[in-house]
Amino acid sequence: MSEERPTPGTAQEDAAGEAPRAAAADAWATACAEDLAAEKARRRSEYGPPPGSAAEELRKLVDTVADRLSSMRSPLFGAIAGPAAQEMVRQAVQQAKAAVEPVIERNPDVFDHLAAAGGELLAAYRSAVQAQERRWTGRADGPAGPPRTDGPADPRDRRDPGEGTGPGQRIDLD
């Protein structure tokens, strides 16, 4: 046969050939890691810190609401009841934080799932509303079905057939 197999070299030659490849692979991985770190730093400087998990965001919300409630001074309580009412609000806020914090600590992934489910529910609601709106307006540019047949006989007449029957108006949900 005309094909010849290369003769295997000594073990030292094979080991010497592997060392530059390993060094090149390591250099490539190091360069990629440096590029990724630089890109993350650039994005943080341009867009600010990335949002945390849903549990971290809930913790921030609870802290912000607690701070606002604690710092709020109500004129309804008057000068006499003001300090006592302020102390009651502060205690209620601390109790609420004490109740929420352990739940967040034990179940941080639950809040991520709840946030994802909320997004999916919003998308489903938006889809349902858009489909219903297409049916109401008689547009045929969507999956709602064929255009209405109870419209005007003259295609140049673009008036709404229900015009003048009530005080309806279009509501934009987006």
Side-chain angles (χ1 to χ4, degrees), residues 22 33 43 68 77 85 136 151 166:
R43 287 185 182 215
R68 288 286 180 168
F77 298 125
W136 285 340

Side-chain angles (χ1 to χ4, degrees), residues 20-38:
R21 280 189 230 157
D26 189 41
W28 179 260
T30 303
C32 288
E34 290 171 355
D35 288 347
L36 182 61

